[in-house]
Amino acid sequence: GSITRVLGEQKFNYADILCPEDSVLFINDVVIWQQFGDGRIVADGGEVRLNEGAIVYGGTLVATDHPDTDLRVDRPARLDAARLVGDLDIRELGKLTVSAEVPRGDVAIGLELDGNITVNPGVSTSVSPARLETMGSCSIVGSGQILLARESFRSQVVGEPEDVLTLGPGIELTGIGEINADMEIQGRFEPGLGIGRLMASRPIAFASTSTFGFEIGVNGESDEFDSTSSVSLAGDLELRFADGFDATVPSVFQLLTASDGVLRRFDSISGDSPVAPLITRVVYDSSGVRVGFVCPSDANLDGVTDLEDVNAILTNFGTESSLGDLNGDGAVDLADLNIVLAGFGSDC
């Protein structure tokens, strides 16, 4: 075993820098250029630590599946147009910045991911945050997961205003932390570790290729996504029942809140369904989205069909409101009123 420190102003790597079992490699306050010869930094049973302003341009960082491999960021570091193979942890006080100063064709790719990034795996009792940051607008592409593993501010995605971090179709963002960056989601998005809460303070836009995973459990529990900004929806809403939940009686769950507004709607709904005659309805308003398992005639999602449902139809008549559009044809009209009248007095 050995401890090696890579220091200095600039280094050029054209081959493999290997960190084997029982070894530690510190990459501190240095710029490493790898893109010219497709250089690699490989953690193969050892520890590779990016620290104190280290910047790696291009090439590949590899964390093998050796049980003792540890590739991590302990203090601020940056990857620019690089590739990550395997798993990387951003520890407490660590910040990994992703940027695309080095061009890769016409697309600003900051990181190509073939593995997983865990933001604050919680290996200590420290309450200090860990952060994944975008510097300028860029994309994380490839295949893998970004896990915000600690609650609230302890696991964050951050960026300057109007710097958009795009997560490609093969990237999943999940967990219980905070999103404090403008973001476009093209892949999978799922709040919670199991059932849990994910928060955002900046605009989030979902692409048509995206999937929003929403988990529902017993005793009224469900995932939560709460934003103090805006959320623009598209793609698929995937519903999953957990912990023995079975939608046999009318129930309603808050899918998300957005203080600055909900824009657009999901393109499709998939996953688990309630027991007939209940149906799944998704209701959008200016500041939130609810998912209901209700009677087909229950316009306001309160569990019964009565005069309040008639009023909901009449109030929204001639609009595209999801509250009154019972048949899903995009308009509140006589067909929706007839559904309410046919089910009047019913509680399924």
Side-chain angles (χ1 to χ4, degrees), residues 85-151:
V85 177
D87 298 338
L88 178 146
D89 289 346
I90 306 174
R91 299 288 181 92
E92 295 88 346
L93 295 175
K95 181 176 72 172
L96 176 62
T97 300
V98 175
S99 60
E101 290 185 325
V102 175
R104 294 178 61 179
D106 296 329
V107 181
I109 297 176
L111 179 65
E112 182 180 347
L113 181 61
D114 183 10
N116 304 294
I117 297 174
T118 300
V119 184
N120 199 340
V123 296
S124 79
T125 58
S126 169
V127 296
S128 300
R131 299 182 176 95
L132 175 65
E133 179 185 55
T134 179
M135 188 182 83
S137 295
C138 65
S139 299
I140 297 178
V141 301
S143 177
Q145 182 187 81
I146 298 170
L147 171 62
L148 304 181
R150 306 296 286 178
E151 69 283 351

Side-chain angles (χ1 to χ4, degrees), residues 214 216-217 220-222 245 251-255 289-293:
F214 184 66
I216 300 168
E221 294 185 343
S222 68
F245 176 78
S251 52
V252 181
F253 300 89
Q254 189 75 40
L255 186 145
V289 179
R290 292 177 291 162
V291 174
F293 306 116

Side-chain angles (χ1 to χ4, degrees), residues 208-259:
S208 60
T209 56
S210 68
T211 298
F212 190 123
F214 184 66
E215 195 169 22
I216 300 168
V218 297
N219 301 319
E221 294 185 343
S222 68
D223 286 337
E224 299 178 55
F225 178 43
D226 297 321
S227 172
T228 57
S229 185
S230 63
V231 177
S232 179
L233 296 173
D236 184 59
L237 170 61
E238 180 187 274
L239 304 176
R240 290 191 291 115
F241 298 165
D243 303 326
F245 176 78
D246 196 3
T248 58
V249 297
S251 52
V252 181
F253 300 89
Q254 189 75 40
L255 186 145
L256 68 86
T257 60
S259 300

